[in-house]
Structures are given as C-alpha cells and as structure tokens.
Amino acid sequence: MSEIPIYIRHCILYEFQLGNNASAAARNICAALGDISLEDRLKSGRPLESDIERLKVLIEDNPRLTTRELLAMLGCIQSTIDRHLHEMGKVNKLETWVSHQLTSDNIQQRITICNSLLSKRNRHRFLQRIVTGD
C-alpha cells in the first residue's frame, strides 16, 4: 500500500468511516477525483500527419478549393483546416490558395516587370507633354 498516495489513503479512510464497502468507496473516489494520472495516453481519432499530407495534396491538385469543400473531404473542423493552411504558409488570394512566401522565380519576375516599367517611363514622357491650364 506504499505506492498509493497519501491523499488517496485519506479518501479511502473517509469512505470506510462513512460505512461504504470497497466497490462503493472506489466508485465515489473515482467520481470525485476522476482520472488523476498525468501520463500521456494515445488519443483516439485520426492521425494528424496523414490529414496534413492529404491537405497538401488536395491544395496542390486544386488550389481553388474552399475551406468548406476541404472540411467535407477531410472530415475535420474548419479551424483545424485554417490552422494547417496557415502552418503550410498558404493564404487565400482571389479565391486561390497560394504560398505566402515568394519563390525565387516570383522575385525575378517582379524585378523584370519593375525594370521594364521604369524603362518605359523614361522612353515615353507622356505626362510631361500634357499642358494644363485654367
């Protein structure tokens, strides 16, 4: 009886003094204290990693899927889908899931566009040819 914590012993003594038998005492103590174990247990439900992998595949196949469609396919709640999409770095732009971070190709494309716009501005002095007056 040395492995039983002292507070459980006090509960057993209390139940004994009330005149309860062992099964009634155990039932009362469990009802009052519940499961007091601090050990991690396996949780029921679907594995989280497979849902994340399946979500990645679904988004790569069709980036126009809505969260409602994803929740119907995956069978989990919308906040879980939103959290996983955020963790993957995806944001919804114009009803399409895109990466929040720019790729090197995206950066190079932006630089090219900016350079072409700057060179066009220097070639065509449209605004300088406009005459304004009262």
Side-chain angles (χ1 to χ4, degrees):
M1 195 159 172
S2 62
E3 67 266 358
I4 299 175
I6 191 72
Y7 62 91
I8 299 290
R9 290 183 191 179
H10 289 135
C11 293
I12 294 170
L13 177 62
Y14 175 75
E15 290 292 328
F16 175 74
Q17 289 175 343
L18 287 177
N20 293 330
N21 61 15
S23 63
R27 192 171 39 253
N28 291 340
I29 291 171
C30 288
L33 299 179
D35 185 11
I36 57 172
S37 173
L38 298 177
E39 300 293 322
D40 288 336
R41 280 191 224 58
L42 293 175
K43 295 181 175 112
S44 64
R46 297 167 55 183
L48 190 59
E49 290 79 22
S50 66
D51 288 345
I52 294 172
E53 291 302 318
R54 187 164 175 227
L55 179 63
K56 284 180 184 177
V57 169
L58 288 171
I59 290 297
E60 288 172 3
D61 289 346
N62 185 2
R64 292 195 168 269
L65 289 172
T66 64
T67 52
R68 288 186 183 190
E69 293 169 336
L70 289 169
L71 108 104
M73 292 176 188
L74 296 173
C76 54
I77 60 175
Q78 187 169 359
S79 62
T80 303
I81 291 173
D82 288 337
R83 186 179 70 247
H84 290 318
L85 288 170
H86 179 72
E87 289 170 358
M88 290 189 307
K90 300 287 186 180
V91 291
N92 195 337
K93 298 286 183 179
L94 299 173
E95 298 179 3
T96 303
W97 292 105
V98 295
S99 179
H100 186 66
Q101 298 293 326
L102 292 176
T103 63
S104 59
D105 292 337
N106 296 132
I107 294 171
Q108 188 60 42
Q109 184 181 21
R110 284 186 179 202
I111 291 171
T112 304
I113 291 170
C114 288
N115 286 334
S116 71
L117 290 173
L118 283 173
S119 67
K120 184 186 263 188
R121 179 182 162 269
N122 291 334
R123 280 184 278 142
H124 304 288
R125 301 271 183 196
F126 175 75
L127 293 176
Q128 293 176 351
R129 287 187 276 156
I130 295 177
V131 177
T132 60
D134 291 335

